[in-house]
Amino acid sequence: LRCSCRLGGGLVQTGGSLRLSCATSGRTFSDYVMGWFRQTPGKEREFVASISRSGGNLYYAHPAKGRFTISRDNAMNTVYLQMDSLQPKDTAVYYCAAQLNGAPQWIVAAGMDYWGKGTQVTVSS
Protein backbone atom coordinates (compact mmCIF):
# COMPACT_ATOMS: atom_id res chain seq x y z
CA LEU A 1 0.00 0.00 0.00
CA ARG A 2 1.44 3.32 -1.03
CA CYS A 3 0.30 6.44 0.77
CA SER A 4 0.83 9.97 -0.37
CA CYS A 5 -0.11 12.99 1.67
CA ARG A 6 -1.40 14.89 -1.30
CA LEU A 7 -3.01 18.13 -0.32
CA GLY A 8 -3.75 20.38 2.56
CA GLY A 9 -0.56 21.07 4.41
CA GLY A 10 0.74 24.59 4.65
CA LEU A 11 0.75 27.76 6.70
CA VAL A 12 -2.33 28.96 8.53
CA GLN A 13 -3.05 31.47 11.27
CA THR A 14 -4.26 30.53 14.72
CA GLY A 15 -7.92 29.58 14.57
CA GLY A 16 -7.76 28.60 10.93
CA SER A 17 -8.51 25.31 9.22
CA LEU A 18 -6.74 22.87 6.97
CA ARG A 19 -7.78 19.63 5.39
CA LEU A 20 -5.21 16.93 4.77
CA SER A 21 -5.82 14.10 2.37
CA CYS A 22 -3.91 10.90 1.82
CA ALA A 23 -4.51 8.92 -1.33
CA THR A 24 -3.42 5.32 -1.43
CA SER A 25 -2.78 2.75 -4.10
CA GLY A 26 -1.50 -0.76 -4.55
CA ARG A 27 -3.67 -2.65 -2.08
CA THR A 28 -7.29 -2.93 -1.04
CA PHE A 29 -7.74 0.26 0.90
CA SER A 30 -10.77 -0.95 2.84
CA ASP A 31 -8.69 -3.76 4.37
CA TYR A 32 -6.68 -1.21 6.33
CA VAL A 33 -7.16 0.72 9.51
CA MET A 34 -5.97 4.23 8.75
CA GLY A 35 -4.41 6.75 11.06
CA TRP A 36 -2.88 10.18 11.22
CA PHE A 37 0.24 10.91 13.22
CA ARG A 38 2.35 14.01 13.67
CA GLN A 39 5.92 14.76 14.60
CA THR A 40 7.92 17.77 15.66
CA PRO A 41 11.72 17.99 15.71
CA GLY A 42 13.28 16.02 18.53
CA LYS A 43 10.05 14.32 19.53
CA GLU A 44 8.50 10.95 18.93
CA ARG A 45 5.86 10.57 16.27
CA GLU A 46 2.52 10.85 18.07
CA PHE A 47 -0.92 9.53 17.36
CA VAL A 48 -3.55 12.04 16.24
CA ALA A 49 -6.55 10.07 15.00
CA SER A 50 -7.61 6.74 13.55
CA ILE A 51 -10.52 5.30 11.67
CA SER A 52 -11.81 1.78 11.28
CA ARG A 53 -11.94 -0.03 7.98
CA SER A 54 -15.58 0.83 7.34
CA GLY A 55 -15.24 4.36 8.66
CA GLY A 56 -17.80 3.77 11.37
CA ASN A 57 -15.45 4.07 14.33
CA LEU A 58 -13.26 7.08 14.97
CA TYR A 59 -10.63 7.65 17.63
CA TYR A 60 -8.73 10.78 18.61
CA ALA A 61 -5.86 11.77 20.79
CA HIS A 62 -6.89 14.22 23.47
CA PRO A 63 -5.39 17.31 21.75
CA ALA A 64 -7.40 16.55 18.61
CA LYS A 65 -10.77 15.87 20.17
CA GLY A 66 -13.41 18.41 19.23
CA ARG A 67 -11.17 20.13 16.68
CA PHE A 68 -10.06 17.45 14.21
CA THR A 69 -12.19 15.05 12.19
CA ILE A 70 -10.88 11.95 10.48
CA SER A 71 -12.83 10.41 7.62
CA ARG A 72 -12.29 8.07 4.72
CA ASP A 73 -13.69 7.39 1.29
CA ASN A 74 -13.14 3.76 0.44
CA ALA A 75 -14.29 4.29 -3.13
CA MET A 76 -11.57 6.91 -3.58
CA ASN A 77 -8.96 5.05 -1.51
CA THR A 78 -8.40 8.21 0.48
CA VAL A 79 -8.32 9.21 4.13
CA TYR A 80 -8.81 12.79 5.31
CA LEU A 81 -8.04 14.87 8.35
CA GLN A 82 -10.08 18.03 8.76
CA MET A 83 -8.36 20.31 11.25
CA ASP A 84 -10.23 23.27 12.70
CA SER A 85 -9.38 25.82 15.38
CA LEU A 86 -5.71 25.25 14.73
CA GLN A 87 -3.21 26.43 17.29
CA PRO A 88 0.56 26.92 17.18
CA LYS A 89 1.01 23.71 19.18
CA ASP A 90 -0.45 21.83 16.19
CA THR A 91 2.57 22.78 14.11
CA ALA A 92 4.18 19.53 12.96
CA VAL A 93 4.75 17.23 10.04
CA TYR A 94 1.62 15.15 9.62
CA TYR A 95 1.72 11.60 8.33
CA CYS A 96 -0.96 9.20 7.26
CA ALA A 97 -0.40 5.54 7.96
CA ALA A 98 -2.06 2.21 7.35
CA GLN A 99 -2.32 -0.97 9.35
CA LEU A 100 -3.64 -4.24 7.99
CA ASN A 101 -4.25 -6.06 11.26
CA GLY A 102 -5.41 -4.84 14.62
CA ALA A 103 -8.02 -2.47 15.94
CA PRO A 104 -8.10 1.27 15.32
CA GLN A 105 -8.33 2.18 18.99
CA TRP A 106 -4.98 0.53 19.71
CA ILE A 107 -2.79 1.72 16.86
CA VAL A 108 0.66 3.08 17.62
CA ALA A 109 3.34 4.40 15.30
CA ALA A 110 5.55 1.35 15.69
CA GLY A 111 2.76 -0.96 14.58
CA MET A 112 1.83 0.72 11.32
CA ASP A 113 2.57 -1.12 8.09
CA TYR A 114 2.77 1.77 5.62
CA TRP A 115 3.45 5.49 5.87
CA GLY A 116 2.84 8.49 3.74
CA LYS A 117 5.68 10.91 3.07
CA GLY A 118 4.39 13.59 5.43
CA THR A 119 3.17 17.11 4.98
CA GLN A 120 4.17 20.20 6.94
CA VAL A 121 1.50 22.08 8.86
CA THR A 122 2.54 25.40 10.36
CA VAL A 123 0.22 27.46 12.54
CA SER A 124 1.31 31.01 13.16
CA SER A 125 0.37 32.94 16.28
Side-chain angles (χ1 to χ4, degrees), residues 39-86:
Q39 190 171 23
T40 54
K43 293 189 176 182
E44 297 288 324
R45 195 167 294 187
E46 66 174 6
F47 168 75
V48 175
S50 63
I51 187 167
S52 62
R53 294 165 182 83
S54 67
N57 295 296
L58 315 177
Y59 302 90
Y60 298 95
H62 180 71
K65 284 182 180 179
R67 301 188 301 125
F68 294 4
T69 304
I70 188 171
S71 61
R72 67 190 294 163
D73 185 336
N74 285 348
M76 297 296 292
N77 299 331
T78 301
V79 62
Y80 305 95
L81 186 68
Q82 175 68 39
M83 303 186 292
D84 300 316
S85 302
L86 283 162

Side-chain angles (χ1 to χ4, degrees), residues 27-47:
R27 302 277 181 172
T28 303
F29 179 68
S30 58
D31 285 345
Y32 291 82
V33 169
M34 298 299 297
W36 286 96
F37 293 77
R38 67 187 184 186
Q39 190 171 23
T40 54
K43 293 189 176 182
E44 297 288 324
R45 195 167 294 187
E46 66 174 6
F47 168 75

